[in-house]
Amino acid sequence: MRFNRILLSATLVVVALVIQVTVLGRLQLPGAVPDLLLLTVVALALVYGPVSGSLIGFAAGLLADLAPPADHAAGRFALVLCVIGYVAGLVRPDNGRFRSAWGPMLTVVAAAIGSTLLSAGVGALVGDTAARHVGLTGLLFTATLYDLLLAPFTVPWIMALARRAENDPMAVEAGGGPPQSKDVSSGWLAGGTGLRIGSQRGGLRLMTSRSRANRAGRIKGVKAVKGVKSVKKL
């Protein structure tokens, strides 16, 4: 992994873990807890691919296993997030471009369900029956709902940061170079939810070109009037 990729991933994982432990973990919501760490791993895996996604997931899960108030065997979340990071990285298209926000959103849903099932399965193997007492169905529903609601506010920003750290030309806004194919991270940021991707940037360009044309016409008109007045004076 490149140095800038490691630095950005480590920073995002640590920040996500701190927010997860100090804020989200204390909300006392019914069922599961919004998993910001999972969303961070998924977003980075969608940009970096399966190998980097699995490494980031393993490191993030190991930190979660060791962070207080952890009361389970170390390595449980490391295994879960390693698998999730690898599978999420496989969803990344060959050209790295997502033409619709549905791909990342469905990946988030699958990651929430998969992480809950894997965590419950690994917990059952080591004798942890907490998921059985809470109810697996309720955990699956609430985990998917919370992560899906949190995803539009986290995943596109993390993807955009990851692309900029990689000096990816898709992260550069149009203005100095040739127009690039639209990616879901830029469209998601522009549209808020990411479900409206398409004509916003084109509309802005059209408005800009029209304003420039109108300004040029006004300048030409002023110059023409001044020329007529100078001729009359002569």
Side-chain angles (χ1 to χ4, degrees), residues 65-88:
D65 288 325
L66 300 177
D71 56 353
H72 55 271
R76 177 175 170 181
F77 287 152
L79 174 61
V80 171
L81 290 183
C82 180
V83 174
I84 294 298
Y86 182 82
V87 175

Side-chain angles (χ1 to χ4, degrees), residues 2-160:
R2 300 176 183 177
F3 176 76
N4 54 352
R5 181 181 297 187
I6 296 174
L7 182 61
L8 177 65
S9 301
T11 303
L12 291 176
V13 166
V14 170
V15 171
L17 181 61
V18 171
I19 296 176
Q20 183 76 35
V21 173
T22 59
V23 179
L24 299 179
R26 300 182 179 182
L27 293 179
Q28 297 182 352
L29 297 173
V33 177
D35 200 339
L36 180 59
L37 194 62
L38 173 68
L39 296 178
T40 302
V41 172
V42 169
L44 293 174
L46 289 175
V47 177
Y48 295 148
V51 177
S52 297
S54 62
L55 294 176
I56 295 171
F58 178 81
L62 189 60
L63 287 178
D65 288 325
L66 300 177
D71 56 353
H72 55 271
R76 177 175 170 181
F77 287 152
L79 174 61
V80 171
L81 290 183
C82 180
V83 174
I84 294 298
Y86 182 82
V87 175
L90 294 176
V91 180
R92 179 181 181 270
D94 294 335
N95 59 1
R97 296 179 176 90
F98 290 92
R99 297 184 179 277
S100 172
W102 290 108
M105 292 292 283
L106 292 176
T107 305
V108 169
V109 172
I113 296 174
S115 63
T116 304
L117 292 176
L118 283 173
S119 181
V122 174
L125 290 177
V126 297
D128 185 0
T129 59
R132 186 183 305 172
H133 295 302
V134 176
L136 186 58
T137 303
L139 282 178
L140 286 172
F141 176 76
T142 53
T144 304
L145 178 62
Y146 296 153
D147 291 346
L148 196 59
L149 292 176
L150 186 60
F153 304 100
T154 55
V155 174
W157 293 96
I158 295 173
M159 291 176 66

